[in-house]
Amino acid sequence: GMHGVQILYWWDDDAHVTRAVGELLRLYAQGVVRPVIDGVTPFSQAARAHARLESRASSGKLLLRPD
């Protein structure tokens, strides 16, 4: 299934964000949560990654890496 969280609701609640991120990292370390990565693009080609997002062709996270 798909799950999402609007973190802006918690942005000013440091304790809540700290707990939530800690729980997320714990679940990641246990292998319960795994992000789907569509691709990794160098910063110099960020426009290409942005175009892929806008076209809705991606099926996961698009990561930018330093050149």
Side-chain angles (χ1 to χ4, degrees):
M2 195 156 84
H3 225 37
V5 174
Q6 178 49 275
I7 197 165
L8 291 178
Y9 291 129
W10 300 338
W11 197 252
D12 294 326
D13 185 348
D14 292 342
H16 196 105
V17 171
T18 299
R19 282 190 310 273
V21 169
E23 178 67 7
L24 183 60
L25 291 175
R26 183 183 69 76
L27 293 171
Y28 177 79
Q30 292 176 347
V32 174
V33 174
R34 288 283 179 228
V36 176
I37 299 174
D38 184 77
V40 180
T41 303
F43 277 122
S44 63
Q45 296 176 18
R48 188 178 81 189
H50 193 260
R52 183 162 174 78
L53 283 173
E54 284 186 326
S55 73
R56 302 182 69 86
S58 62
S59 60
K61 301 297 181 190
L62 291 175
L63 307 179
L64 294 177
R65 66 168 171 74
D67 288 317

